[in-house]
């Protein structure tokens, strides 16, 4: 039995959660999905969960490793699962390794392929290499982005409410960050990001206009969010949000290894940079060498014309 941990944001299950379900379905027909403080769970059965456990608790409103691990351990024991599968997300990066240790299972992180002869591919060394690792009898698996296609596999699911034993949620809200993205980075199929090459936050309208024209989310590099030019929720890369969108456009981003490590799973990468030696060009599918302040307004205008 495989347990799939799902994430529910803004009234829907994340695409990566549905991808995790499709992956689980390719491993086994016995898939139980865990839905935390979620609304309608129909999507989970559309994508193949034969059992859906719903958990509703104020103690799970804020993500905390302690309570989320406690919940998953209780569900794993109740359902007698042998594999716990988690989608790629900012939270599961913290959750999965602790869960594996407490549960006593192997930890297979960043898995990027379906099994072949009992082995799966794992992205290693900041996406510089691929390793083959063997599936284990008891394991926690986290997926890299785009590990498999999202496929519908409708079943008639048993839906059951589960009440876990959890400690008080002792997370204090110390501040809130205004969510500026019209489209969320996690769900976007197109993401436009800006780096230090944008020069000042006042120039961000160029990123936003291009993103608006494409229906894309906006993102940024770590120094940009560290300097307070953009909110931390937009920081992508190894230590920020992982990206695995269809099209990623980077403006004035050098392509440091820590940045590329977090965005490399994106299908098509386009880089606009004035320095022909910028490392990002080596990882890019398409590159434009030039001044972004000249190129981006023209590109945005052209895209708007195409859409009008
Ligand atoms: C432990 C650790 C973790 C890290 N994690 C992350 C992470 O998760 N994500 C991340 O992004 N970084 C991360 N970093 C930082 C990373 O090493 C780089 O410093 C950072 O990615 C560089 O950001 P940048 O590309 O915005 O800036 P820069 O490296 O300064 O690049 C700016 C680019 O803009 C170009 N440019 C300038 N003007 C123009 C113009 N007019 N038109 C076009 N191009 C122009 C320049 O040629 C240059 O290539 C991490 C670093 C460490 C040590």
């Amino acid at each position: 039995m495989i347990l799939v941990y799902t994430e529910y944001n803004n009234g829907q299950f994340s695409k990566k959660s549905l991808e995790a379900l499709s992956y689980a379905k390719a491993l086994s027909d016995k898939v139980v999905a865990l839905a935390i403080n979620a609304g309608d769970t129909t999507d989970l059965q559309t994508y193949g969960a034969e059992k859906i456990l719903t958990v509703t608790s104020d103690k799970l409103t804020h993500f905390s490793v302690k309570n989320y691990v406690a919940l998953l351990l209780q569900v794993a024991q109740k359902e007698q699962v042998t594999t716990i599968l988690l989608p790629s997300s900012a939270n599961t990066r913290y959750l999965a390794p602790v869960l594996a240790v407490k549960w006593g299972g192997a930890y297979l992180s960043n898995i990027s392929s379906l099994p072949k002869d009992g082995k799966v591919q794992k992205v290693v060394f900041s996406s510089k290499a691929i390793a083959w690792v063997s599936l284990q009898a008891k394991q926690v698996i986290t997926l890299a982005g785009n590990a498999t296609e999202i496929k519908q596999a409708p079943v008639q699911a048993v839906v059951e409410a589960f009440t876990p034993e959890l400690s008080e949620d002792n997370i204090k809200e110390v501040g809130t960050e205004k969510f500026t993205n019209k489209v969320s980075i996690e769900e976007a199929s197109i993401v436009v990001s800006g780096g230090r090459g944008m020069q000042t936050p006042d120039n961000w309208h160029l990123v936003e206009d291009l993103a608006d024209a494409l229906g894309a989310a906006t993102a940024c590099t770590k120094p940009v969010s560290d300097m307070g030019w953009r909110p931390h929720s937009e920081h992508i890369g190894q230590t920020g949000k992982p990206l695995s969108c269809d099209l990623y456009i980077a403006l004035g981003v050098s392509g440091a290894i820590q940045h590329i490590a977090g965005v490399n799973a994106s299908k098509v990468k386009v880089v606009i940079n004035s320095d022909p030696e910028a490392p990002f060009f080596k990882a890019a599918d398409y590159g434009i060498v030039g001044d972004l302040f000249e190129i981006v307004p023209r590109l945005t205008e052209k895209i708007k014309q195409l859409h009008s």
Side-chain angles (χ1 to χ4, degrees):
M1 175 71 93
I2 300 185
L3 169 63
V4 177
Y5 163 87
T6 65
E7 294 185 325
Y8 187 85
N9 307 308
N10 304 322
Q12 57 185 1
F13 289 96
S14 70
K15 267 199 262 174
K16 286 177 182 163
S17 297
L18 303 180
E19 186 185 349
L21 269 178
S22 294
Y23 191 97
K25 211 56 197 161
L27 296 182
S28 164
D29 270 339
K30 299 211 168 305
V31 176
V32 52
L34 175 63
I36 303 167
N37 289 337
D40 183 6
T41 57
T42 314
D43 271 352
L44 301 182
Q45 59 177 6
T46 306
Y47 287 87
E50 63 167 26
K51 183 167 186 182
I52 300 167
L53 282 185
T54 60
V55 176
T56 308
S57 169
D58 290 347
K59 293 172 184 163
L60 297 165
T61 306
H62 298 112
F63 174 77
S64 81
V65 170
K66 191 174 165 198
N67 268 343
Y68 274 62
V69 166
L71 166 64
L72 279 159
L73 290 176
Q74 290 168 43
V75 173
Q77 192 183 5
K78 173 178 152 29
E79 298 297 323
Q80 293 292 296
V81 303
T82 50
T83 295
I84 305 177
L85 193 65
L86 300 100
S88 143
S89 83
N91 288 346
T92 58
R93 280 180 176 188
Y94 298 101
L95 181 56
V98 182
L99 175 66
V101 171
K102 299 251 181 202
W103 190 43
Y107 177 35
L108 278 62
S109 62
N110 263 336
I111 298 305
S112 58
S113 77
L114 286 166
K116 202 174 162 197
D117 303 328
K119 292 187 172 166
V120 284
Q121 282 185 354
K122 170 181 161 67
V123 181
V124 291
F125 299 130
S126 300
S127 306
K128 289 270 181 215
I130 297 285
W132 284 96
V133 290
S134 299
L135 290 172
Q136 305 290 316
K138 186 177 181 186
Q139 60 198 345
V140 172
I141 299 179
T142 56
L143 297 181
N146 292 325
T148 189
E149 258 179 73
I150 303 178
K151 272 198 213 140
Q152 292 196 357
V155 283
Q156 193 59 48
V158 176
V159 183
E160 189 183 307
F162 176 65
T163 309
E165 281 178 29
L166 301 169
S167 50
E168 277 313 307
D169 173 3
N170 55 6
I171 293 183
K172 303 265 180 295
E173 214 161 304
V174 288
T176 51
E177 193 175 67
K178 195 164 162 257
F179 185 67
T180 47
N181 254 331
K182 289 180 192 154
V183 184
S184 87
I185 292 174
E186 290 86 347
E187 293 302 299
S189 54
I190 307 176
V191 173
V192 180
S193 84
R196 258 195 301 225
M198 294 302 301
Q199 291 176 8
T200 87
D202 296 339
N203 292 329
W204 228 263
H205 61 93
L206 293 176
V207 178
E208 284 166 341
D209 289 351
L210 179 56
D212 276 352
L214 290 163
T218 57
C220 68
T221 61
K222 182 174 185 297
V224 162
S225 68
D226 286 349
M227 288 185 292
W229 290 7
R230 298 299 293 172
H232 279 289
S233 56
E234 288 196 20
H235 161 196
I236 52 172
Q238 192 175 31
T239 49
K241 286 184 179 162
L243 209 62
S244 52
C245 57
D246 293 335
L247 172 62
Y248 172 49
I249 305 177
L251 315 176
V253 176
S254 59
I257 188 165
Q258 298 90 353
H259 184 83
I260 291 181
V263 304
N264 226 6
S266 299
K267 286 183 189 153
V268 177
K269 293 175 279 296
V270 178
V271 172
I272 302 178
N273 196 306
S274 51
D275 175 7
E277 299 298 320
F280 214 157
F281 284 123
K282 289 198 183 125
D285 298 284
Y286 299 93
I288 304 174
V289 179
D291 183 355
L292 73 90
F293 296 100
E294 277 176 31
I295 297 163
V296 176
R298 285 166 59 196
L299 183 61
T300 305
E301 215 33 64
K302 205 79 194 161
I303 291 165
K304 280 187 187 161
Q305 280 169 16
L306 286 174
H307 286 179
S308 64

